[in-house]
Amino acid sequence: MAEFWEEKSIFDMSAQEWESLCDGCARCCLHKLEDEESEEVHYTSVVCQYLNEDKCACTRYEERTILVPDCIQLTPVGALDYGWLPTTCAYRLVAEGKDLEWWHPLVSGSPDTVHEAGISVKGKCTSELYVHPDAMEDHIITWVKQDQGEKE
Ligand code: SF4
Ligand code: SF4
């Protein structure tokens, strides 16, 4: 039997189904820099101060969009404008008609696999509290696909 993310349009998902698509990687909580000329988005290893880095969970979830103006609440419409999202993000994958990976909690049945596969930011990020805003460029990262050894 097909799973809901395989057979439903993102616009037909319930709020609970939509929320469950998030794999808990917290990659979207990393600071991003946009190249003004090419409009290319570069991720950094600097993370929002409100992230619990051990659990990759927001400590201020209810008030996040007030505390952090560019903390985006993803909606189905917003997910279609997904170019800035990490290529591993389930919202982006589903919007592109791709399958979820084995480590996604909905596939593996465990919230730990996103960390075990090295997809989450756990153990790989630095809080913005310790990085000067002018030094953000020094922290630009390139992700490597753990299972294929390829650059994203
Ligand atoms: S990048 Fe996507 S899947 Fe990962 S935490 Fe953000 S919204 Fe969830
Ligand atoms: S406020 Fe929470 S959800 Fe938003 S970027 Fe910061 S840690 Fe992530």
Side-chain angles (χ1 to χ4, degrees):
M1 199 178 96
E3 304 287 356
F4 76 85
W5 62 88
E6 295 169 329
E7 64 178 5
K8 281 189 180 180
S9 143
I10 54 177
F11 298 102
D12 294 333
M13 291 179 188
S14 68
Q16 189 185 6
E17 288 170 340
W18 179 255
E19 281 289 315
S20 72
L21 272 184
C22 181
D23 62 28
C25 70
R27 285 184 172 193
C28 57
C29 300
L30 296 171
H31 281 264
K32 305 159 235 352
L33 297 173
E34 184 172 7
D35 186 306
E36 285 181 12
E37 284 183 17
S38 67
E39 297 184 356
E40 194 179 350
V41 175
H42 298 282
Y43 274 76
T44 74
S45 59
V46 182
V47 77
C48 173
Q49 61 184 294
Y50 300 116
L51 189 77
N52 176 320
E53 294 171 37
D54 280 334
K55 296 180 179 170
C56 286
C58 182
T59 57
R60 309 291 287 270
Y61 193 75
E62 297 303 328
E63 48 192 335
R64 66 194 189 285
T65 53
I66 298 167
L67 290 168
V68 182
D70 61 356
C71 175
I72 294 172
Q73 192 162 10
L74 269 182
T75 62
V77 171
L80 293 177
D81 184 23
Y82 51 70
W84 64 275
L85 285 168
T87 54
T88 55
C89 175
Y91 294 106
R92 179 169 178 166
L93 291 172
V94 169
E96 290 177 342
K98 295 178 180 170
D99 286 338
L100 299 185
E101 300 281 356
W102 67 268
W103 42 260
H104 193 289
L106 286 174
V107 179
S108 69
S110 165
D112 298 328
T113 44
V114 67
H115 309 301
E116 292 163 2
I119 301 300
S120 78
V121 304
K122 186 175 180 176
K124 303 188 191 113
C125 54
T126 306
S127 171
E128 64 188 355
L129 295 174
Y130 304 109
V131 178
H132 193 282
D134 292 345
M136 211 61 86
E137 274 189 28
D138 298 339
H139 297 268
I140 287 176
I141 55 168
T142 302
W143 283 312
V144 172
K145 283 189 178 170
Q146 303 289 317
D147 52 349
Q148 296 167 27
E150 292 174 359
K151 282 186 177 181
E152 289 181 352

